[in-house]
């Protein structure tokens, strides 16, 4: 759950005292994609960005761990 709080104090470095408002919507994007990869592949990846190389490496490591546990 994300709770957004609007701060209505001027930002001296922003144009006309404006603050950014688009960032809160982007906070959940990367974790959502990581959770989708986990749901699809059963592999949790906690390092961003989720590159194809990292996903493949995690899948291979997961298979090795599963074989060792047998």
């Amino acid at each position: 759950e994300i709770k957004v709080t609007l701060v209505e104090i001027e930002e001296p470095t922003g144009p006309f005292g404006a603050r950014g408002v688009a960032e809160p919507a982007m906070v959940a994007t990367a974790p959502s994609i990581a959770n989708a990869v986990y749901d699809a592949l059963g592999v949790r990846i906690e390092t961003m960005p989720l590159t194809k190389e990292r996903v493949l490496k995690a899948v291979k490591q997961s298979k090795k761990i599963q074989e060792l546990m047998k």
Side-chain angles (χ1 to χ4, degrees), residues 25-42:
M26 297 172 48
V27 171
T29 305
S32 296
I33 294 169
N35 283 334
V37 169
Y38 176 72
D39 287 343
L41 303 175

Side-chain angles (χ1 to χ4, degrees), residues 7 14-15 17 26 33-34 45-46 54 60-61 70:
V7 178
M26 297 172 48
I33 294 169
I45 302 172
E46 297 177 351
R54 285 187 178 152
K60 287 180 179 179
Q61 286 179 345
K70 288 182 181 179

Side-chain angles (χ1 to χ4, degrees), residues 3-64:
K3 183 177 179 180
V4 177
T5 303
L6 297 178
V7 178
E8 296 190 25
I9 300 172
E10 288 189 14
E11 171 59 46
T13 60
F16 305 105
R19 292 180 175 267
V21 78
E23 292 86 357
M26 297 172 48
V27 171
T29 305
S32 296
I33 294 169
N35 283 334
V37 169
Y38 176 72
D39 287 343
L41 303 175
V43 176
R44 177 73 63 196
I45 302 172
E46 297 177 351
T47 306
M48 298 295 160
L50 290 176
T51 62
K52 59 185 176 184
E53 293 82 11
R54 285 187 178 152
V55 172
L56 182 60
K57 182 179 177 182
V59 169
K60 287 180 179 179
Q61 286 179 345
S62 175
K63 287 181 181 179
K64 287 180 184 179

